[in-house]
Amino acid sequence: MKILYTTARFPYPPLRGDQLVPYFRIQQLARKHEITLLSFVEGPEEMEYVRHLKPHCAEVHTVPLPRWRSYASMPMGALSPLPLQVLYYSSREYQRKLREILASRKFDVIHTVLARPANHTIDVEGVVKVCEMIDAVSLTMKRRADTARGPAQWVWGMEAERMRRFEQRICKSFDGVVVVSEVDRQELNAPNVTVVPVGADVDLRPRAARNGHKVVIFTGNFAYHSNQDAAIFLVNEIWPELRQAIPGARLRIVGNGPGPTLLRAARQFPEVEVTGFVPDLRQHLFEADVAVAPMRLGGGGMHCKAIEAMACGTPLVVSSRVTSGVQGRPGEDFLLATDAPEYVRAVRSIFENPGLATALSEKGKRLVAEKYSWEKTTQRLELLYEELLARRSQSTNHAHRN
């Protein structure tokens, strides 16, 4: 197949979900298919990343989108029916480049990542189109509105409704829509929505024996409000009890974009480390004894942090928001917790019971290997392509006969 991949953010480095998912999907698809990539870049420094995609793509096309230009268009948001994050990625140059690419060659599939750039491909005809939304973003916005106060509640409520209407347009205009969990599929409530989980590849490096450091880790992109909220909840409400229950324990918060509120909270405790960006997240997961993800906000979705931790064999304690898209068994593949005392009990049980820690490690890795490797999840995407192409072919043949 010849596949045109269109993205908002350039899919490297694979730090955020909207970079990580297309990066590994393209890697897998390129083994059997010809990939052309069209993506925005925010500045000259991102052009350095093109070399990481070239080995997997027949062509890589980029369109500059300086932040100042996007922000300059935002005042139009009050008058537009489009969500602000879709307006942010509006670009005549991107539209022109897309027309040039489509005029220069024929594609079997156009694959658009997220709703953000979908306004550029939504009206393209004559080719199978798939939008990998990942999450039902309107659900995340709706939940954000429910917890906001004052003018923010009104803004998030308005954005949630705009996004809901735009997601409905996507479902009507694209042949297939892909999300990562059943919660998101039900929220979109359209017949052409398919669940294809995110992936991770099991790391075969042996885990080091415990060295007595008792490291608890929380990973994520802390520029996202839901991750920032979870980290602050972890530091302010869970950690004071946990450090008393497990003397000598250390907490490591690993990931890009920690805000000043989180940094201030962490300074209360000398054993809490906030690393910021790290080049090798997996190394930190290997060094940790337990991974936690005490998410309280966000949509449905399926969090990469859960799959990554299990892929590294790190015993996992999470909220149900993190595992809503994971077909695992609570109590066997991971442990669930809902409030601070439950997190303390669950983490403590892992430290005090080496057999439980080993079982969670082994079963978590097995779950990822059997169901969530990038190869297996991308195969599900390929089957969707084939089904949609066959359906279009049958429809075309039927029209010709009539």
Side-chain angles (χ1 to χ4, degrees):
M1 280 181 246
K2 293 184 178 179
I3 303 168
L4 173 60
Y5 238 83
T6 67
T7 68
R9 286 197 179 99
F10 194 80
Y12 195 91
L15 299 176
R16 306 167 182 252
D18 59 349
Q19 295 173 302
L20 181 148
V21 173
Y23 175 71
F24 287 106
R25 292 267 191 254
I26 288 171
Q27 269 194 342
Q28 293 294 325
L29 290 168
R31 296 177 178 182
K32 294 189 286 185
H33 310 288
E34 183 180 293
I35 311 297
T36 298
L37 173 64
L38 170 62
S39 180
F40 285 113
V41 289
E42 288 192 344
E45 66 280 359
E46 287 197 351
M47 292 302 296
E48 296 294 318
Y49 301 142
V50 170
R51 61 188 174 87
H52 295 279
L53 272 296
K54 277 193 170 180
H56 310 295
C57 298
E59 295 179 0
V60 176
H61 300 272
T62 58
V63 174
L65 188 72
R67 290 187 180 184
W68 66 264
R69 187 186 303 168
S70 294
Y71 287 132
S73 68
M74 298 306 273
M76 297 165 45
L79 305 175
S80 172
L82 293 173
L84 290 176
Q85 62 177 258
V86 176
L87 280 175
Y88 183 95
Y89 289 100
S90 296
S91 164
R92 291 179 182 174
E93 189 175 349
Y94 193 97
Q95 198 70 40
R96 180 182 59 77
K97 178 60 72 173
L98 175 64
R99 287 196 299 268
E100 282 182 10
I101 295 169
L102 292 175
S104 68
R105 62 173 61 195
K106 181 177 175 59
F107 292 95
D108 299 294
V109 176
I110 295 177
H111 184 117
T112 296
V113 181
L114 295 191
R116 294 168 187 167
N119 205 39
H120 295 291
T121 51
I122 201 165
D123 294 322
V124 174
E125 297 180 347
V127 59
V128 165
K129 295 185 301 180
V130 172
C131 182
E132 189 167 12
M133 282 192 194
I134 301 180
D135 303 329
V137 178
S138 59
L139 177 59
T140 303
M141 291 178 168
K142 191 188 307 177
R143 289 177 172 172
R144 184 79 182 269
D146 290 342
T147 60
R149 295 291 179 269
Q153 186 176 44
W154 177 81
V155 171
W156 282 110
M158 181 179 67
E159 276 299 286
E161 179 57 24
R162 285 177 171 177
M163 182 57 78
R164 185 189 66 81
R165 290 197 296 264
F166 189 62
E167 287 170 343
Q168 288 178 339
R169 278 188 63 202
I170 289 174
C171 291
K172 290 176 181 176
S173 302
F174 283 75
D175 299 273
V177 173
V178 172
V179 293
V180 298
S181 78
E182 184 62 24
V183 173
D184 298 289
R185 192 192 69 78
Q186 291 177 5
E187 181 69 18
L188 294 174
N189 192 28
N192 61 334
V193 180
T194 301
V195 175
V196 178
V198 295
D201 290 324
V202 169
D203 201 311
L204 299 177
R205 287 178 288 179
R207 288 184 62 80
R210 286 190 178 183
N211 54 17
H213 287 162
K214 301 177 183 176
V215 177
V216 178
I217 191 170
F218 177 36
T219 66
N221 179 359
F222 298 100
Y224 288 131
H225 177 68
S226 57
N227 284 332
Q228 188 88 199
D229 173 83
I232 293 168
F233 170 58
L234 171 60
V235 173
N236 286 342
E237 300 186 39
I238 299 173
W239 189 249
E241 296 183 42
L242 196 54
R243 70 198 293 261
Q244 289 187 349
I246 309 171
R250 295 190 297 163
L251 173 61
R252 192 172 291 166
I253 297 173
V254 180
N256 196 43
T261 305
L262 172 56
L263 293 172
R264 278 196 303 272
R267 283 196 288 269
Q268 301 174 80
F269 307 105
E271 71 279 5
V272 175
E273 178 187 6
V274 181
T275 67
F277 169 77
V278 296
D280 186 359
L281 175 64
R282 287 196 161 196
Q283 185 58 44
H284 286 268
L285 285 167
F286 265 97
E287 293 171 358
D289 298 287
V290 182
V292 296
M295 311 299 292
R296 302 187 296 179
L297 305 177
M302 172 185 179
H303 288 257
C304 298
K305 57 174 64 64
I307 301 298
E308 282 286 351
M310 289 190 287
C312 292
T314 309
L316 181 66
V317 182
V318 292
S319 75
S320 59
R321 285 194 187 276
V322 175
T323 58
S324 63
V326 179
Q327 296 177 3
R329 297 159 297 179
E332 295 192 35
D333 301 313
F334 49 83
L335 300 183
L336 287 180
T338 57
D339 56 23
E342 287 188 6
Y343 277 99
V344 173
R345 284 195 295 271
V347 173
R348 185 175 182 176
S349 69
I350 292 171
F351 278 112
E352 293 180 349
N353 187 343
L356 174 62
T358 300
L360 288 169
S361 175
E362 292 176 352
K363 290 179 180 178
K365 288 179 78 168
R366 189 180 308 129
L367 175 68
V368 174
E370 291 176 354
K371 295 184 178 180
Y372 297 110
S373 70
W374 282 112
E375 181 179 9
K376 289 186 178 178
T377 61
T378 305
Q379 283 171 354
R380 294 168 68 171
L381 186 62
E382 288 178 289
L383 289 174
L384 175 62
Y385 291 163
E386 291 167 4
E387 177 186 326
L388 295 175
L389 285 165
R391 195 178 302 166
R392 178 174 285 267
S393 178
Q394 289 172 0
S395 176
T396 303
N397 291 338
H398 179 74
H400 287 163
R401 285 196 299 269
N402 290 340

